[in-house]
Amino acid sequence: MKKILVSGGAGYIGSHTVRALSEVGYGPVVLDSLITGHREAVPGNIPFYLGNIADEDLVSDIIMKEKVSAVIHFAARSLVGESVQKPDLYFEENTAKTHRFVSTVLQCGVNNIVFSSTAATYGNPEKVPIPEESKTEPINPYGASKLMIEQSFYWLEQAYGLKWIALRYFNAAGAALDGSLGEDHATETHLIPLVLKTALGQREAISIFGTDYDTLDGTCIRDYIHVLDLAEAHIRALEALEQGVPCGAYNVGTGTGYSVREVIAMARRVTGIDIPVLEAPRREGDPDSLVAKVGKIQKILGWQARYSDLETIIKSAWQWHQKHPHGYGI
Ligand code: UDP
């Protein structure tokens, strides 16, 4: 059984990927600081290490003891607003710690790494759908911290033979179809969980940030990708690295965008609840439309989204929120 070290495996996307890895016969090993992750999101039979990716002794011990053959690296800070307030935190936690982590991984003789990157590396896109070769000019420190990692991987590849794939996620959403794993952030900022928390009566209304964008209904358009499809993309990326595909960045999205109003309309339909809405000013730094061009991942990794129609995304998220109205541990 191939052992895969999953950093951040107790987080939202990480925990779904750990489950998917087990289902297809890999042996995931989780390293998580639990600063934002949840111990309950990782089954008891999966090896779990509490700690920091920059702890060289811990990381080498895990790799040797567990006989790790590849790494999937999720562990990171991921709040755009926080990154604007505290850029130093993001360059330390994401860029610097990843550098130390990957150096240790390479020193231990492990060369294959799948990295969770983001569409925030593009900044305001020149054209939509966004191809991977678009200019990358992040408009916040979060996107910059991830782009710097991608760039460092290129040079580690040239010098030491690092084999890497960076998956640039668009809008991760949804939950395990039975609602047993899902999204639980201490500070929730994302549209779909906030809409569903409003449906549960935990919030009075969902604010629509901006109704005067240059889109059909005036609200922002995003490419929502089901977390199960994201998990599958990581497995395809692992397999592709073993087969020697070119290293680099791959978009993970559907190629189809939905507006904020369309998301709310679908949530009303799925929940049967007339979710109250407030029209609010624009949120700083939101481009009007972010949609992935997805030909590269489909062609080279042979990946296709299977669960990312808006109805399946919202139905699965609704299962999770109904079963776990206050997240994990409840
Ligand atoms: N959004 C909104 N109200 C909210 C949260 C988000 O209107 O309470 C909008 C936001 O402006 C963006 C879209 O929903 O256009 C998706 O935002 P989210 O924070 O989920 O993801 P992002 O696109 O920022 O990664």
Side-chain angles (χ1 to χ4, degrees):
M1 191 202 297
K2 284 189 182 143
K3 297 288 208 68
I4 311 298
L5 175 57
V6 184
S7 78
Y12 170 44
I13 305 169
S15 59
H16 286 83
T17 303
V18 165
R19 182 181 282 185
L21 284 165
S22 304
E23 283 169 1
V24 297
Y26 284 98
V29 175
V30 173
L31 169 61
D32 201 296
S33 68
L34 296 183
I35 292 173
T36 54
H38 303 275
R39 182 67 185 88
E40 301 86 347
V42 182
N45 62 339
I46 305 281
F48 180 89
Y49 293 87
L50 177 66
N52 191 309
I53 55 167
D55 182 338
E56 291 166 22
D57 292 338
L58 174 64
V59 171
S60 359
D61 285 352
I62 298 171
I63 292 175
M64 296 309 162
K65 184 171 163 231
E66 301 284 353
K67 301 190 170 52
V68 165
S69 63
V71 170
I72 306 182
H73 175 38
F74 293 100
R77 304 290 177 123
S78 62
L79 295 174
V80 170
E82 182 184 56
S83 80
V84 176
Q85 303 299 322
K86 300 179 188 167
D88 47 340
L89 180 72
Y90 278 68
F91 294 125
E92 172 61 25
E93 292 292 314
N94 292 359
T95 316
K97 286 192 175 167
T98 293
H99 180 63
R100 269 174 267 157
F101 178 57
V102 174
S103 297
T104 312
V105 168
L106 277 170
Q107 275 160 24
C108 292
V110 174
N111 290 323
N112 290 7
I113 180 158
V114 179
F115 169 58
S116 72
S117 189
T118 168
T121 51
Y122 295 115
N124 282 314
E126 278 166 328
K127 62 173 176 182
V128 178
I130 310 169
E132 285 84 351
E133 61 275 14
S134 303
K135 71 173 173 50
T136 42
E137 288 181 8
I139 53 170
N140 53 59
Y142 168 63
S145 73
K146 293 279 186 171
L147 181 61
M148 288 161 76
I149 297 169
E150 288 188 9
Q151 290 166 338
S152 75
F153 283 3
Y154 171 81
W155 294 108
L156 294 173
E157 176 191 349
Q158 310 308 314
Y160 306 121
L162 178 70
K163 300 284 170 235
W164 61 283
I165 284 179
L167 296 176
R168 291 182 177 161
Y169 311 154
F170 280 66
N171 286 60
L177 300 181
D178 61 359
S180 56
L181 287 176
E183 198 167 3
D184 177 7
H185 299 121
T187 314
E188 191 50 79
T189 61
H190 294 111
L191 178 65
I192 291 175
L194 289 176
V195 171
L196 297 176
K197 280 172 181 290
T198 310
L200 283 175
Q202 294 179 1
R203 303 171 65 93
E204 285 193 356
I206 179 72
S207 295
I208 299 182
F209 295 147
T211 53
D212 59 349
Y213 283 97
D214 187 16
T215 59
L216 272 181
D217 67 15
T219 67
C220 286
I221 291 178
R222 294 289 179 272
D223 185 338
Y224 295 91
I225 175 82
H226 199 293
V227 67
L228 294 177
D229 286 328
L230 272 178
E232 167 84 19
H234 291 80
I235 293 173
R236 289 299 168 97
L238 269 185
E239 292 166 353
L241 284 176
E242 280 168 20
Q243 290 153 12
V245 303
C247 300
Y250 292 74
N251 286 340
V252 199
T254 64
T256 302
Y258 294 99
S259 73
V260 174
R261 287 196 202 280
E262 285 174 318
V263 169
I264 296 170
M266 179 60 82
R268 284 180 168 158
R269 195 153 80 72
V270 165
T271 62
I273 295 166
D274 188 19
I275 301 164
V277 161
L278 262 180
E279 296 194 354
R282 290 182 174 202
R283 185 173 72 176
E284 213 180 320
D286 272 339
D288 53 16
S289 183
L290 288 178
V291 177
K293 193 152 196 239
V294 287
K296 183 175 174 185
I297 188 165
Q298 289 175 345
K299 193 164 154 229
I300 302 183
L301 303 193
W303 170 91
Q304 289 279 355
R306 289 190 290 155
Y307 301 101
S308 293
D309 60 282
L310 193 57
E311 185 171 356
T312 305
I313 287 177
I314 294 183
K315 268 190 178 161
S316 60
W318 182 230
Q319 284 287 324
W320 159 254
H321 285 285
Q322 281 180 300
K323 286 191 179 165
H324 304 268
H326 301 286
Y328 283 103
I330 295 164

